Amino acid sequence: MREKKRVIFHLDMDHFYTAVETRERPELEGKPVVVGADPKGGSGRGVVSTSNYEARKVGVHSGMPISRAYKLCPEAVYLPSNFPRYIEVSNKIMATARQYADKFEQWGIDEAFLDVSSRVKNYAEAKALAQRIKREISQKEHLTCSIGVGPNKLIAKIGSDYQKPNGLTVVKEEDAEKFLQPLPVRKLLWVGRKTEAKLKAMGVETIGDLARFDPSVLAETFGVAGTQMYRMAHGVDRSEVEERTAVKSVSHETTFEEDTDDAEAVLNALDALAEEVTMEVQSQRLFFKTVTVKVRFENFETHTRSRTLQFMTNRPQDLKKHAKELLAPYLRVNRKIRLIGVRVSTFVSAEKQQTLC
Ligand code: TTP
Ligand code: MG
């Protein structure tokens, strides 16, 4: 049976954090802007979260030490990150985009895959739909995004990055291989630096080089990943868009310096984890309902126990109480513990919580 043809979009907001900041301070328009740690006149620690395109022109990019960014661009406007605000804006954008999809999968804060197969009859309609989504986000949020349109997630994802900012790249199934050919292998989603270096040593620099390579040698060298890579180089990716929204869970875990059966030490560590988790949940303005604890014994045997509460909360004392009750049976067995973890899930946003009450 022939597989049904799919049409997939990948949407990625342009320089997201700095775009939100600039939108709210028109005086920043046209200036280099960096969101991240405080540069403290060049001696600051921490990194750049993102930079706008003016700052990128002089080489400032995400993940770079803020001190280096300052050296490259002392005249930029440096702003601290306002994560709750970005989440709020992201939620609105995602709500707009998801209306147009049969299946919608959010990735991180500013990206999403949309399966629009049943909504369009051909690529001309697909292009019009992508333009409509871009226009709606621009009108409602005064922000730009880039969209890649293709027969699968791989092509759509590479497409959205192809003409940034404010781009729209449409790649039909029959053009996919030709589109990929000249691009560096690094563009294939999970080709990391190590694989890239190995491939380079084998004389493979572009996706086209990879597509022409002997698949059995790739399988020998990289195992299953080699076969996957070869298929992707030919533009083939059968993975589905999986229905998924924003943050699914928040968790922290601790590995003890030495395995321990000291219940008090374990409970103290559990309290600290519960504090960290609730701080993160509060900073994202979320409430949770499900609590899970994880325990790993010295022989690496790992167990989890969960409980769903009768109410939504984001208070550390609630999480501590329930996490402690969930962990108790593991403390009674007098075995040495290597690691514990705390996770919360089943969220609603603070905004929704207010309307529920
Ligand atoms: P990206 O989409 O990777 O970057 P971007 O939106 O800033 O720029 P582009 O136009 O190239 O898409 O990431 C989205 C946001 O995630 C970004 O605005 C800030 C945050 N982020 C970090 O905090 N640290 C990082 O290392 C990266 C890559 C992103
Ligand atoms: Mg982005």
Side-chain angles (χ1 to χ4, degrees):
M1 195 179 85
R2 275 194 63 196
E3 275 181 47
K4 195 187 164 304
K5 289 224 185 302
R6 299 184 295 158
V7 181
I8 310 294
F9 289 2
H10 180 257
L11 180 157
D12 188 331
M13 299 306 295
D14 300 323
H15 69 101
F16 187 49
Y17 292 5
T18 45
V20 173
E21 298 293 347
T22 310
R23 167 185 92 168
E24 279 152 30
R25 303 167 213 223
E27 69 278 12
L28 300 184
E29 202 65 56
K31 293 184 185 159
V33 181
V34 177
V35 167
D38 183 350
K40 294 189 177 151
S43 64
R45 298 172 63 134
V47 296
V48 171
S49 295
T50 200
S51 50
N52 68 356
Y53 282 76
E54 282 81 359
R56 288 182 201 189
K57 273 186 212 148
V58 293
V60 176
H61 55 75
S62 298
M64 167 183 279
I66 200 80
S67 54
R68 181 154 159 65
Y70 192 80
K71 254 185 221 124
L72 288 170
C73 198
E75 70 279 18
V77 178
Y78 288 85
L79 299 169
S81 150
N82 182 356
F83 196 65
R85 178 84 188 108
Y86 310 143
I87 289 264
E88 198 180 306
V89 178
S90 163
N91 286 343
K92 289 188 188 156
I93 293 164
M94 297 300 162
T96 296
R98 74 175 317 134
Q99 301 173 71
Y100 295 101
D102 302 327
K103 284 188 283 180
F104 184 87
E105 179 177 347
Q106 187 174 340
W107 262 36
I109 192 166
D110 82 329
E111 292 176 46
F113 288 102
L114 289 77
D115 186 328
V116 299
S117 306
S118 83
R119 313 265 177 137
V120 295
K121 286 201 278 298
N122 51 46
Y123 274 89
E125 283 189 20
K127 186 174 179 184
L129 179 60
Q131 278 164 336
R132 179 168 172 186
I133 295 174
K134 278 166 67 75
R135 204 164 45 237
E136 193 169 330
I137 291 174
S138 158
Q139 281 165 357
K140 283 188 175 159
E141 297 300 325
H142 306 282
L143 294 170
T144 63
C145 65
S146 298
I147 298 184
V149 177
N152 57 46
K153 286 166 87 173
L154 172 77
I155 303 293
K157 169 91 177 156
I158 295 178
S160 73
D161 191 44
Y162 193 67
Q163 301 181 63
K164 252 184 173 293
N166 203 7
L168 173 55
T169 302
V170 180
V171 182
K172 296 182 196 165
E173 186 161 26
E174 58 267 33
D175 300 330
E177 274 202 77
K178 211 168 82 205
F179 167 70
L180 293 177
Q181 259 181 25
L183 303 177
V185 280
R186 190 88 217 273
K187 292 272 174 195
L188 292 184
L189 301 188
W190 37 267
V191 173
R193 290 194 187 285
K194 274 192 189 157
T195 309
E196 187 188 18
K198 253 188 179 174
L199 286 169
K200 223 175 200 164
M202 294 160 73
V204 175
E205 302 230 353
T206 65
I207 299 180
D209 294 338
L210 188 61
R212 285 186 294 271
F213 213 81
D214 181 346
S216 60
V217 176
L218 291 173
E220 243 166 60
T221 317
F222 300 100
V224 183
T227 310
Q228 276 273 50
M229 219 165 6
Y230 182 78
R231 291 167 61 83
M232 284 192 166
H234 285 276
V236 177
D237 171 22
R238 293 171 57 180
S239 63
E240 298 279 334
V241 173
E242 282 169 32
E243 194 61 40
R244 178 148 53 104
T245 46
V247 191
K248 278 278 192 201
S249 66
V250 172
S251 63
H252 283 272
E253 53 187 49
T254 297
T255 304
F256 295 106
E257 254 170 44
E258 274 177 35
D259 301 344
T260 179
D261 53 8
D262 177 347
E264 201 184 321
V266 174
L267 289 173
N268 281 340
L270 190 75
D271 273 358
L273 290 172
E275 291 275 354
E276 285 174 30
V277 168
T278 40
M279 261 169 53
E280 195 171 325
V281 169
Q282 286 171 9
S283 80
Q284 299 191 29
R285 304 193 28 216
L286 297 169
F287 289 77
F288 60 84
K289 215 174 165 185
T290 302
V291 177
T292 305
V293 298
K294 170 167 148 185
V295 57
R296 180 167 294 149
F297 292 111
E298 58 184 336
N299 64 348
F300 280 84
E301 191 185 302
T302 306
H303 298 263
T304 58
R305 281 186 80 210
S306 290
R307 157 181 306 175
T308 295
L309 312 181
Q310 299 290 326
F311 53 92
M312 292 285 177
T313 179
N314 62 6
R315 300 190 320 167
Q317 58 268 40
D318 294 333
L319 181 56
K320 284 178 187 172
K321 172 177 176 286
H322 290 282
K324 195 172 162 185
E325 287 173 13
L326 287 167
L327 191 72
Y330 301 117
L331 294 176
R332 284 198 288 269
V333 293
N334 289 328
R335 289 173 64 187
K336 285 199 169 174
I337 292 175
R338 179 184 163 79
L339 167 153
I340 54 165
V342 174
R343 182 171 80 229
V344 299
S345 49
T346 321
F347 293 123
V348 288
S349 72
E351 284 80 12
K352 265 205 193 125
Q353 177 79 357
Q354 276 158 12
T355 58
L356 288 174
C357 293

Short mmCIF file of all heavy atoms in Angstrom, two decimals, residues 2 14 80 94 119 137 150 201 233 251 298 316:
data_model
loop_
_atom_site.label_atom_id
_atom_site.label_comp_id
_atom_site.label_asym_id
_atom_site.label_seq_id
_atom_site.Cartn_x
_atom_site.Cartn_y
_atom_site.Cartn_z
N ARG A 2 0.54 2.21 -0.87
CA ARG A 2 1.33 3.45 -0.89
C ARG A 2 0.98 4.31 0.31
O ARG A 2 -0.19 4.41 0.71
CB ARG A 2 1.05 4.22 -2.18
CG ARG A 2 1.91 3.73 -3.33
CD ARG A 2 1.87 4.71 -4.48
NE ARG A 2 2.44 6.01 -4.12
CZ ARG A 2 2.24 7.10 -4.83
NH1 ARG A 2 1.50 7.08 -5.90
NH2 ARG A 2 2.79 8.25 -4.46
N ASP A 14 11.59 34.15 14.99
CA ASP A 14 12.88 34.79 14.72
C ASP A 14 13.40 35.46 16.00
O ASP A 14 12.65 36.16 16.68
CB ASP A 14 12.72 35.84 13.62
CG ASP A 14 12.24 35.22 12.31
OD1 ASP A 14 12.66 34.07 12.00
OD2 ASP A 14 11.44 35.86 11.60
N PRO A 80 18.35 41.43 30.83
CA PRO A 80 18.19 40.13 31.51
C PRO A 80 17.01 39.38 30.90
O PRO A 80 16.11 39.99 30.32
CB PRO A 80 17.87 40.53 32.95
CG PRO A 80 17.25 41.88 32.84
CD PRO A 80 17.87 42.55 31.64
N MET A 94 1.51 29.75 19.98
CA MET A 94 1.23 28.33 19.76
C MET A 94 -0.28 28.09 19.62
O MET A 94 -0.71 27.27 18.82
CB MET A 94 1.83 27.48 20.89
CG MET A 94 3.33 27.56 20.99
SD MET A 94 4.15 27.01 19.47
CE MET A 94 5.79 27.70 19.67
N ARG A 119 -5.58 19.60 5.50
CA ARG A 119 -6.07 20.98 5.36
C ARG A 119 -5.75 21.60 4.00
O ARG A 119 -6.23 22.67 3.68
CB ARG A 119 -5.45 21.88 6.44
CG ARG A 119 -5.50 21.29 7.83
CD ARG A 119 -6.70 21.78 8.56
NE ARG A 119 -6.81 21.18 9.87
CZ ARG A 119 -7.12 21.85 10.96
NH1 ARG A 119 -7.31 23.16 10.91
NH2 ARG A 119 -7.24 21.23 12.11
N ILE A 137 0.20 35.74 13.05
CA ILE A 137 1.13 35.94 14.18
C ILE A 137 1.66 37.37 14.17
O ILE A 137 1.76 38.03 15.20
CB ILE A 137 2.28 34.91 14.12
CG1 ILE A 137 1.74 33.51 14.40
CG2 ILE A 137 3.39 35.27 15.12
CD1 ILE A 137 2.75 32.39 14.24
N GLY A 150 7.23 21.07 3.90
CA GLY A 150 7.82 19.93 3.20
C GLY A 150 7.02 18.67 3.39
O GLY A 150 5.98 18.66 4.07
N ALA A 201 36.24 13.05 7.81
CA ALA A 201 37.43 12.20 7.61
C ALA A 201 37.18 11.16 6.51
O ALA A 201 38.12 10.67 5.88
CB ALA A 201 37.81 11.53 8.92
N ALA A 233 19.52 11.60 4.20
CA ALA A 233 20.25 12.29 3.13
C ALA A 233 19.47 12.22 1.81
O ALA A 233 19.61 13.09 0.96
CB ALA A 233 21.63 11.67 2.96
N SER A 251 11.64 18.49 36.44
CA SER A 251 12.25 17.55 37.38
C SER A 251 13.68 17.92 37.72
O SER A 251 14.35 18.62 36.94
CB SER A 251 12.21 16.14 36.78
OG SER A 251 13.00 16.10 35.62
N GLU A 298 22.03 1.29 45.02
CA GLU A 298 23.45 1.20 44.66
C GLU A 298 23.72 0.26 43.48
O GLU A 298 24.67 0.44 42.75
CB GLU A 298 24.31 0.81 45.87
CG GLU A 298 23.91 -0.51 46.49
CD GLU A 298 24.71 -0.82 47.73
OE1 GLU A 298 25.84 -0.30 47.87
OE2 GLU A 298 24.23 -1.60 48.57
N PRO A 316 5.97 24.74 47.79
CA PRO A 316 7.01 23.77 48.13
C PRO A 316 6.59 22.83 49.25
O PRO A 316 6.91 21.63 49.20
CB PRO A 316 8.20 24.64 48.55
CG PRO A 316 7.69 26.03 48.68
CD PRO A 316 6.42 26.13 47.90
#
